[in-house]
Amino acid sequence: MKAIATTVIVTAEGKITLQLPPDIAPGEHQVVLVIDEQVVPPKLGTKKERPPLNFPVHDVGPWPANLSLRREDMYDEWGR
């Protein structure tokens, strides 16, 4: 079994022509065709601009003056 990766052009009639390497023996062969529609790169300048992200904002006011974020103040003696 051999894998051959190449690019082909599909005509308007849906036909392709494929040139195989010379080491493929003449005769009947089973062929698997995979169409990867992502192969053709998009044309320059056609990328759509995304709208800016709109994250919700909840204003809860300023932090309390005596707020402590020390671990000892947030957890009890058991560390929970």
Side-chain angles (χ1 to χ4, degrees), residues 46-60:
T46 61
K47 185 176 179 183
K48 289 185 177 180
E49 293 284 332
R50 279 204 221 166
L53 298 175
N54 186 14
F55 293 107
V57 177
H58 301 287
D59 186 11
V60 293

Side-chain angles (χ1 to χ4, degrees), residues 7-50:
T7 303
V8 298
I9 297 175
V10 180
T11 65
E13 295 83 28
K15 295 181 181 182
I16 63 171
T17 302
L18 180 66
Q19 180 67 43
L20 295 175
D23 61 334
I24 304 295
E28 187 173 311
H29 295 278
Q30 183 178 7
V31 177
V32 177
L33 178 65
V34 177
I35 304 295
D36 184 4
E37 295 180 353
Q38 305 260 340
V39 172
V40 179
K43 294 181 181 177
L44 296 176
T46 61
K47 185 176 179 183
K48 289 185 177 180
E49 293 284 332
R50 279 204 221 166

